[in-house]
Amino acid sequence: SNQPDRFYKVCVPSNSRVMMLLGQLERMNGDIVRQAETARQVTAKILHLIQTQEKSGKEVMSKGSSGMEVILASLENTRDVQTILNILSILTELLTVGRGRRVGVFVSKGGTGILFHTLLSASKEMPPSEELMLQLHSLLAKVGPKDRKFGVAARLSGALNVTVNLIKQNLQNPKLLLPCLQVLRVYSTNSVNAISLGKNGVVELLFKVLAPYSKKNTSLLKVALDALGALLKSKTNARRAADGGYVPILLALYADWHRNDARHRHMLIRKGLLVCLRNITNIKLGRKAFVEADGMRVLYNSSTECLPVRTLDPLVNTSSLIMRKCFPKKRLPLPTIQSAFLFQLPYVPGTGPAGRTYSQGPGVDDVVDESDDNDEADTENDTENEEDEKDQQSPNDDIETDLNKLHPKKGPCRPYEELRVYERFFVELSEDFQVSQVSVLIRRWKVQASQCLCRPFPQTRALSPGLTQGPPAASARFRILPPASLTPLQLDNIHISKDQEKTGDAHIPTTDKRDRTLSPLGPEDEAAEGAVLEVPDTALLLPLHDLDLYVEMVKGTLSVPQYAEVAYPDYFGHVAPTFREPLLERVYGVQRAKIFQDIERLIHPNDIVDKVVYDLDIPSCPVIEDDGESLKFNSQFESGNLRKAVQVRKFEYDLVLNSDINSNHYHQWFYFEVSGMKVGTTYRFNIINCEKSNSQFNYGMQALMYSVQEAISGSPRWVRTGTDICYYKNHFARSSIAAGGLKGKSYYTLTFSINFKHKDDVCYFAYHYPYTYSTLKMHLSKLEALRTPQIYLRQDVLCETLGGNGCPLLTITAMPESNSNDHICQFRNRPLIFLSARVHPGETNASWVMKGTLEFLMGSSPLANSLRESYIFKIVPMLNPDGVINGNHRCSLSGEDLNRQWQSPNLELHPPSTTLRVFCDYHGHSRKKNVFMYGCSVKETVWQSNISATSSDLQEDLAYRALPKILSQIAPAFSMASCSFVVERSKESTARVVVWREIGVQRSYTMESTLCGCDQGKYKGLQIGTRELEEMGAQFCVALLRLKRLTGLRNHQHLLDLERKKKKTSCPTTYVLDEDEPSFLEAIDYSAESNDEDVEAENEHLRRIHLYLSGLHVWLQSRKHSTDGVSI
């Protein structure tokens, strides 16, 4: 009896009438059944006060008030219908105000359970009160979305059946049906509830609610569609709807509402119908029913009519998603997804990619997967990029948490005797530099270089049936397949006109199409006049490019197809343009427009030409002649990659890339020739077998084009080109064998449009700036000419590749000032720097960065001289020559990613990486902008994880941050914010982790260069070019010199000072995500199905680098006592 007094004194003002009434209600709670009339009157007065006085509701819901508990207790105890209605009205008034906070209070007080209890009690009355059911369901619909346990509580209490029965009994009663459907919508969001409701016939029940276009009961129809859409997320319910023949009904309803809703006032109903279709078509049976009901045509026609109205984009986007999903899956138009080129391995491993490729029988690799549930996580987001949503994920659980794996190992990993083989690559450390020996050393290098650079063609090579046999012997002369309207470049019969005084337009002689053969030249051919190309002298623009020397280098390059053709861009060379090339601004709706054009192929099949114009799988000749109405394609030259070209429409072509040799995937790099174009015509190119789930082509990147007409006119250069560029998932199915065992995956399309400027031109297109193996050999030969007596330059053949090509290893440093013991000792004590590039052939930007590094090191500037005097450089400029030569994207001829072979190398299959040691490997990154580094740090790894560590565990030298920090200060393209020094479990076999952990090298990095452009610094908003890449390579050298001056030989105090400044001025380490791009207004459909191999294995091929480093470390230690040692 004292509790009401306490209630008045503590909780509410004494003059609050509503609180007085609540106190009265509380006092009768123990006997509310017998005081039913009084309870009706009190609750009616409370309702009146709350409806008329805003402050009354605030007092009830104020902090510390017991008003809600009193109301809920009264609801739970009373049996009087009118009192219950009054209380439900009170709750409705209270919960309608406020931004969900009041509902949260209601839920926390157990209000949901009391409502379900009341609902069950009311349902037992015969007949149940319609007004009571209306109020209860209205309130439940308001509360449900805020209660995470709502669905479970409804199922356990039996409320599901009550609501379903009410719906069945009131299909013609919109007033009660609406709140019941609203509650059903919330029930259905629980997956278990959805299955249970489906079994009880609710899917079929809801289809009885759906109706053709009408201005009546639109709210009811919208809620019913929402509930149905939620139910159809269940595969069981989706299958039930497909089997029940409801897909044609949904399509007919959608077409009816689309046709009649001329003012677009009922877009939500139309969207609801599409959502139902979207969820049904998540299963194969639903997609089949959709296609059979002519759903492609229905949605295509309606979407086309919606395109002019921007506000209808949600309908267009959802329709597009459904049509793409239901587009019948097709296999690539290839006889096999394995490479068109066959190279027989000397040893076929039982496991691994090559082993699986060899073990597959014919027709096994390209079967379209027909699994029942082809769900690809097409969670729809009409206004934002789904990949950006994916980035907002929980902390990375791949971070290494074992502290024992985060500390360097002590001692060499292999016996000294086993590592002595590497001694031959360090002859400079045993030379005493007498005059006679120096000249012998130079002669030795020249002999080795000539052996490495100029090799004959092999006698035979294993070819696929679709290849033309190449020249049989080294003595053979070669004829080039002539591009459409140009005289071919014949390797041994090229004459170049460099008449500087000649004026007028350049002329490209034509050739008879009947002469398109590949054969050795006979005596008559030798006497014939060769092609005369009027090429301006670009010696001043390209001092390291020599046309004649390049041809000689090509003759010594061995390829699997035995290419006898030279691509014009590689022959003429590339002069970086002086103008800026900004990132391409994405046009709104471009992806949607391209997708609709693809869908038109199914809607209007008679408009499709479907004509093969180039095919490497045709034994006779891949270039297919016609009446001149088609473009001509070619990729039979070094680093070329285009397997097939199909003319789809008059000016549209589907292009298929060749997989890496001895592989069935890795499609990204392309490099091909086009001719026979018409001026003023827009051509569309679709590369249809890309594999990655995202691309910088969606973020401003353009392909590269080289025009021979422009080159002959004095502008030999690659330029960014293409409009209407986008990258999206297509309808070509990937075999589970090619998708790493994953079923139901698709390829992606890169599409772009181009207008050609010149008639009878020959143009080349490439993924990035090509840099061939022959170009490297030419550059190395020209660099040797820059050597002065003060420069120590030696080129060794690190190994011979599977294809018979040499893998060059360069040693660059400064000659000792004299042959005195002091100067020789200083020479031998220089720290060693190891650099490499192009382990992945498709990352050509790495070669351009390396070119900048090499040219700086061989330069005559005081900085270059100082750098040579500070370090001995060991450089492998191209780790994977065979992959580069044969147009691979990622693998060597073994069909394996050399970036994955360092842990268990095979001397026969992986010769380059067995004898290699580096501490910075140049790479290219296809999905991020800027240039950045990956490194290793115990402290930063611990910071990113939840592991506990002592202060002694976190002690580490800060040296690992110095080099990237310096680069961020001097290199415009470098971004410190994009760097990561976190060690992850999946990266434990990468070079940066292995060299850091097993060799103890603090500064062990991968330097990643963007293929696209920059979003910060001096080059913000610009696409990256060879000038910027070469500048990056040079700036890397400058950074090494600054690092030398900063740290000294033994003093790291300046480094610590730099780190302290860094902590004050720069942002902390950021964990590098796969995607870092802003969202578009247009929805972009990416699948998260593919792993980004660039991120996953940015250095994994260097797993075996520790063998080389360990060998050198042990060997140098053994020499320390006799030669004063060499510091690393």
Side-chain angles (χ1 to χ4, degrees):
S1 61
N2 293 328
Q3 187 170 344
D5 296 332
R6 196 165 55 249
F7 176 83
Y8 283 117
K9 292 177 182 177
V10 176
C11 300
V12 298
S14 59
N15 60 351
S16 172
R17 188 178 176 196
V18 70
M19 301 313 293
M20 290 176 62
L21 291 170
L22 283 172
Q24 183 180 353
L25 185 63
E26 183 182 23
R27 286 193 295 271
M28 69 175 66
N29 262 343
D31 195 23
I32 196 170
V33 175
R34 288 195 299 173
Q35 301 184 49
E37 184 62 33
T38 306
R40 275 189 227 129
Q41 295 175 3
V42 172
T43 52
K45 291 177 181 178
I46 295 173
L47 175 59
H48 176 74
L49 286 174
I50 292 176
Q51 288 176 334
T52 58
Q53 299 180 11
E54 184 180 348
K55 68 176 183 178
S56 296
K58 291 182 179 179
E59 290 171 0
V60 175
M61 299 302 301
S62 63
K63 189 175 182 181
S65 171
S66 301
M68 181 59 74
E69 288 96 324
V70 173
I71 294 170
L72 290 176
S74 301
L75 177 61
E76 187 175 21
N77 295 326
T78 186
R79 297 292 181 269
D80 182 68
V81 173
Q82 188 57 51
T83 303
I84 294 174
L85 289 172
N86 289 344
I87 295 175
L88 292 177
S89 298
I90 292 170
L91 290 172
T92 301
E93 292 290 337
L94 290 175
L95 301 185
T96 301
V97 181
R99 299 176 180 176
R101 188 191 69 82
R102 293 186 177 184
V103 176
V105 172
F106 175 87
V107 172
S108 68
K109 303 296 184 182
T112 305
I114 294 174
L115 288 180
F116 284 142
H117 173 75
T118 306
L119 177 64
L120 288 171
S121 299
S123 67
K124 295 176 182 178
E125 299 293 332
M126 288 299 170
S129 169
E130 180 177 325
E131 182 64 22
L132 182 54
M133 289 299 181
L134 178 72
Q135 290 272 30
L136 277 169
H137 280 88
S138 297
L139 198 55
L140 285 169
K142 191 183 299 292
V143 172
K146 299 293 184 180
D147 189 347
R148 289 180 298 176
K149 300 180 180 179
F150 187 84
V152 177
R155 183 171 67 255
L156 296 178
S157 66
L160 289 181
N161 292 332
V162 174
T163 302
V164 171
N165 289 332
L166 271 176
I167 294 174
K168 291 179 179 178
Q169 297 164 8
N170 292 275
L171 289 175
Q172 305 304 319
N173 184 0
K175 183 178 179 181
L176 179 56
L177 187 59
L178 178 59
C180 289
L181 290 174
Q182 289 172 334
V183 176
L184 182 67
R185 176 174 59 184
V186 185
Y187 290 163
S188 302
T189 57
N190 180 283
S191 58
V192 179
N193 286 352
I195 295 174
S196 176
L197 291 168
K199 290 180 179 178
N200 290 333
V202 177
V203 172
E204 294 81 358
L205 180 63
L206 287 176
F207 272 101
K208 295 180 180 179
V209 180
L210 304 186
Y213 174 80
S214 171
K215 295 181 180 180
K216 298 179 180 180
N217 299 326
T218 55
S219 297
L220 182 71
L221 185 56
K222 169 65 176 62
V223 176
L225 286 169
D226 289 345
L228 181 59
L231 286 173
L232 292 175
K233 287 184 178 180
S234 161
K235 295 177 183 178
T236 303
N237 291 337
R239 197 169 293 113
R240 181 175 287 108
D243 283 332
Y246 291 111
V247 173
I249 294 175
L250 287 171
L251 286 168
L253 287 171
Y254 181 74
D256 181 63
W257 279 89
H258 167 77
R259 182 171 56 254
N260 292 288
D261 186 24
R263 297 188 177 182
H264 313 303
R265 293 179 176 177
H266 304 293
M267 194 177 77
L268 292 179
I269 292 177
R270 294 156 68 181
K271 177 66 181 295
L273 288 165
L274 289 176
V275 168
C276 293
L277 286 168
R278 182 196 66 187
N279 292 342
I280 292 178
T281 54
N282 278 337
I283 63 171
K284 188 181 74 172
L285 185 63
R287 293 189 291 274
K288 180 181 178 183
F290 178 86
V291 173
E292 290 176 351
D294 204 19
M296 297 292 287
R297 187 180 303 274
V298 172
L299 293 194
Y300 173 81
N301 291 338
S302 61
S303 299
T304 304
E305 295 171 4
C306 291
L307 284 176
V309 184
R310 185 78 172 261
T311 56
L312 298 181
D313 278 356
L315 302 181
V316 177
N317 293 336
T318 308
S319 297
S320 173
L321 187 150
I322 296 169
M323 287 187 288
R324 293 173 63 191
K325 189 163 43 176
C326 295
F327 201 114
K329 293 292 184 182
K330 298 175 60 178
R331 51 178 282 182
L332 289 173
L334 299 174
T336 172
I337 58 174
Q338 295 180 15
S339 174
F341 303 145
L342 174 64
F343 180 84
Q344 185 64 46
L345 296 175
Y347 160 74
V348 180
T351 60
R356 288 192 295 269
T357 300
Y358 274 81
S359 64
Q360 292 163 12
V364 175
D365 60 353
D366 52 7
V367 177
V368 176
D369 179 73
E370 291 294 345
S371 60
D372 181 62
D373 296 321
N374 188 10
D375 301 277
E376 296 192 7
D378 283 321
T379 53
E380 184 182 356
N381 189 329
D382 291 331
T383 59
E384 295 181 279
N385 184 350
E386 293 173 14
E387 290 298 316
D388 296 322
E389 295 283 325
K390 188 178 70 175
D391 283 350
Q392 309 300 323
Q393 56 189 355
S394 58
N396 182 16
D397 58 2
D398 189 36
I399 295 176
E400 181 59 70
T401 56
D402 186 350
L403 286 173
N404 294 325
K405 295 182 179 180
L406 292 176
H407 291 285
K409 296 180 181 180
K410 297 180 180 180
C413 58
R414 299 195 41 197
Y416 168 67
E417 292 300 325
E418 193 174 344
L419 298 168
R420 289 198 59 165
V421 64
Y422 305 111
E423 186 173 354
R424 63 190 177 94
F425 297 114
F426 298 90
V427 296
E428 70 276 4
L429 300 182
S430 59
E431 295 285 353
D432 59 8
F433 292 95
Q434 300 299 321
V435 175
S436 59
Q437 289 185 337
V438 170
S439 61
V440 169
L441 185 65
I442 296 173
R443 288 198 300 273
R444 181 192 306 164
W445 174 82
K446 288 184 175 180
V447 171
Q448 291 175 337
S450 64
Q451 292 174 346
C452 177
L453 297 178
C454 299
R455 295 176 179 270
F457 275 85
Q459 293 295 325
T460 59
R461 280 289 159 202
L463 302 176
S464 72
L467 281 180
T468 304
Q469 177 65 46
S475 59
R477 307 285 296 284
F478 312 106
R479 182 188 301 277
I480 313 303
L481 292 176
S485 58
L486 279 99
T487 299
L489 287 177
Q490 299 177 354
L491 288 177
D492 291 342
N493 200 20
I494 296 178
H495 306 283
I496 304 170
S497 172
K498 298 183 179 179
D499 188 351
Q500 299 296 320
E501 299 179 359
K502 184 165 183 175
T503 60
D505 296 334
H507 173 66
I508 305 178
T510 58
T511 184
D512 191 337
K513 295 180 181 178
R514 291 172 296 180
D515 192 32
R516 297 179 63 85
T517 58
L518 177 61
S519 62
L521 298 180
E524 295 182 3
D525 293 313
E526 295 184 18
E529 182 179 357
V532 178
L533 298 179
E534 301 169 358
V535 182
D537 190 354
T538 56
L540 295 178
L541 296 175
L542 294 171
L544 294 183
H545 192 89
D546 185 303
L547 284 73
D548 296 328
L549 180 59
Y550 182 78
V551 172
E552 292 303 313
M553 295 299 109
V554 172
K555 293 177 181 179
T557 296
L558 309 182
S559 63
V560 172
Q562 298 184 355
Y563 293 132
E565 188 167 350
V566 178
Y568 283 93
D570 304 322
Y571 179 69
F572 290 153
H574 162 71
V575 178
T578 56
F579 51 85
R580 293 187 168 189
E581 296 182 289
L583 294 169
L584 184 68
E585 184 176 352
R586 185 181 177 92
V587 178
Y588 182 85
V590 60
Q591 172 184 288
R592 185 172 60 196
K594 298 293 186 180
I595 291 170
F596 272 54
Q597 290 176 22
D598 291 349
I599 293 171
E600 286 175 4
R601 301 185 187 188
L602 191 65
I603 306 299
H604 305 297
N606 294 334
D607 297 340
I608 303 305
V609 177
D610 199 23
K611 174 185 177 183
V612 177
V613 296
Y614 181 75
D615 192 351
L616 283 180
D617 293 293
I618 294 180
S620 58
C621 181
V623 181
I624 300 170
E625 298 290 348
D626 70 344
D627 55 2
E629 292 298 319
S630 304
L631 293 175
K632 308 294 189 301
F633 293 85
N634 184 29
S635 61
Q636 293 184 291
F637 45 79
E638 186 176 351
S639 294
N641 190 317
L642 177 66
R643 181 170 183 170
K644 189 170 187 176
V646 180
Q647 186 176 14
V648 181
R649 298 182 178 93
K650 186 174 182 180
F651 302 115
E652 181 180 355
Y653 295 82
D654 279 354
L655 310 178
V656 184
L657 303 182
N658 195 21
S659 57
D660 287 3
I661 292 175
N662 279 318
S663 169
N664 55 25
H665 57 302
Y666 297 121
H667 308 106
Q668 187 166 334
W669 168 257
F670 58 87
Y671 183 17
F672 58 87
E673 168 196 297
V674 177
S675 59
M677 64 282 293
K678 297 179 180 179
V679 178
T681 299
T682 299
Y683 291 90
R684 176 184 171 184
F685 294 140
N686 311 308
I687 298 176
I688 62 173
N689 61 333
C690 301
E691 294 174 349
K692 293 197 174 184
S693 61
N694 195 358
S695 171
Q696 283 291 320
F697 283 110
N698 273 327
Y699 298 101
M701 179 174 164
Q702 293 175 283
L704 286 147
M705 186 183 79
Y706 192 106
S707 165
V708 175
Q709 286 277 19
E710 292 286 338
I712 293 176
S713 300
S715 299
R717 62 195 178 199
W718 288 96
V719 294
R720 299 280 186 171
T721 191
T723 58
D724 295 340
I725 300 175
C726 58
Y727 186 95
Y728 56 90
K729 186 164 50 180
N730 61 33
H731 59 279
F732 290 101
R734 291 183 67 188
S735 164
S736 60
I737 296 174
L742 299 175
K743 295 183 178 181
K745 302 306 176 184
S746 299
Y747 286 103
Y748 289 76
T749 291
L750 162 64
T751 180
F752 60 94
S753 299
I754 185 71
N755 280 279
F756 296 100
K757 296 181 179 179
H758 304 288
K759 183 182 179 183
D760 296 328
D761 199 358
V762 172
C763 294
Y764 291 78
F765 292 89
Y767 178 67
H768 199 66
Y769 300 94
Y771 190 102
T772 65
Y773 176 65
S774 298
T775 300
L776 171 67
K777 293 191 295 181
M778 177 189 66
H779 283 161
L780 294 182
S781 180
K782 297 289 286 185
L783 280 174
E784 199 281 327
L786 300 178
R787 192 190 69 81
T788 65
Q790 291 74 37
I791 300 177
Y792 181 98
L793 169 65
R794 191 180 77 253
Q795 177 174 321
D796 296 300
V797 180
L798 184 63
C799 64
E800 185 174 282
T801 67
L802 283 173
N805 298 286
C807 184
L809 166 66
L810 304 180
T811 302
I812 302 176
T813 187
M815 294 288 287
E817 293 184 27
S818 70
N819 58 2
S820 68
N821 288 335
D822 289 344
H823 288 150
I824 291 178
C825 181
Q826 187 275 337
F827 176 92
R828 293 174 179 173
N829 274 280
R830 293 171 186 167
L832 297 168
I833 302 294
F834 293 84
L835 306 175
S836 69
R838 279 314 267 292
V839 70
H840 293 148
E843 296 168 6
T844 59
N845 48 355
S847 280
W848 290 99
V849 175
M850 180 60 76
K851 180 174 182 286
T853 295
L854 291 174
E855 291 182 14
F856 184 92
L857 289 175
M858 293 301 297
S860 58
S861 69
L863 288 177
N865 185 57
S866 179
L867 189 60
R868 290 191 295 267
E869 292 175 349
S870 301
Y871 297 109
I872 296 176
F873 285 86
K874 295 288 183 178
I875 301 175
V876 184
M878 191 170 285
L879 277 163
N880 191 351
D882 287 344
V884 172
I885 293 166
N886 292 285
N888 284 6
H889 172 63
R890 198 169 183 86
C891 298
S892 66
L893 292 185
S894 67
E896 295 178 307
D897 183 353
L898 292 183
N899 215 10
R900 306 294 182 98
Q901 306 306 320
W902 299 104
Q903 191 168 9
S904 54
N906 182 291
L907 291 176
E908 291 185 281
L909 298 181
H910 322 121
S913 41
T914 303
T915 55
L916 175 64
R917 156 163 79 165
V918 303
F919 100 87
C920 187
D921 188 25
Y922 294 176
H923 275 252
H925 205 287
S926 67
R927 298 175 70 172
K928 289 183 71 66
K929 291 184 171 67
N930 310 312
V931 181
F932 54 93
M933 278 182 161
Y934 292 114
C936 302
S937 164
V938 176
K939 187 177 296 184
E940 299 196 28
T941 302
V942 171
W943 285 346
Q944 293 287 339
S945 65
N946 296 322
I947 61 175
S948 58
T950 64
S951 57
S952 60
D953 291 328
L954 298 181
Q955 288 182 357
E956 74 177 332
D957 194 337
L958 297 174
Y960 69 91
R961 265 192 172 269
L963 184 59
K965 180 62 179 178
I966 294 170
L967 282 170
S968 70
Q969 295 172 342
I970 66 174
F974 194 89
S975 170
M976 187 71 182
S978 296
C979 295
S980 175
F981 305 95
V982 174
V983 180
E984 299 166 298
R985 295 189 187 97
S986 60
K987 312 297 192 301
E988 64 179 4
S989 60
T990 62
R992 65 178 173 100
V993 177
V994 171
V995 174
W996 168 74
R997 186 169 65 195
E998 300 194 17
I999 312 300
V1001 178
Q1002 284 288 319
R1003 302 184 184 97
S1004 177
Y1005 308 103
T1006 294
M1007 187 164 72
E1008 300 272 3
S1009 299
T1010 179
L1011 292 163
C1012 178
C1014 298
D1015 59 10
Q1016 54 86 47
K1018 176 182 176 182
Y1019 301 131
K1020 181 177 181 179
L1022 300 178
Q1023 296 187 77
I1024 203 161
T1026 56
R1027 190 188 310 276
E1028 292 75 34
L1029 292 170
E1030 292 183 50
E1031 176 191 67
M1032 187 66 235
Q1035 294 289 7
F1036 183 84
C1037 295
V1038 175
L1040 290 174
L1041 189 58
R1042 289 199 179 185
L1043 180 67
K1044 169 78 172 178
R1045 293 172 179 173
L1046 179 68
T1047 61
L1049 291 176
R1050 302 285 193 276
N1051 182 15
H1052 292 277
Q1053 185 59 43
H1054 294 295
L1055 177 61
L1056 296 175
D1057 293 341
L1058 175 69
E1059 185 66 17
R1060 293 190 189 99
K1061 293 178 180 178
K1062 175 194 74 63
K1063 289 181 178 179
K1064 295 179 180 179
T1065 59
S1066 66
C1067 61
T1069 297
T1070 57
Y1071 177 71
V1072 179
L1073 298 170
D1074 286 357
E1075 316 300 337
D1076 60 350
E1077 303 294 350
S1079 61
F1080 291 114
L1081 291 176
E1082 176 190 11
I1084 301 178
D1085 177 49
Y1086 301 127
S1087 168
E1089 61 191 21
S1090 302
N1091 292 324
D1092 187 356
E1093 293 157 353
D1094 293 318
V1095 175
E1096 287 184 341
E1098 73 273 3
N1099 255 341
E1100 190 165 342
H1101 75 284
L1102 299 181
R1103 167 68 180 169
R1104 288 183 288 158
I1105 200 62
H1106 73 285
L1107 304 180
Y1108 190 35
L1109 290 173
S1110 298
L1112 179 64
H1113 180 73
V1114 173
W1115 179 64
L1116 293 177
Q1117 291 297 320
S1118 70
R1119 294 182 52 84
K1120 190 171 185 179
H1121 301 292
S1122 59
T1123 64
D1124 294 326
V1126 178
S1127 61
I1128 300 181

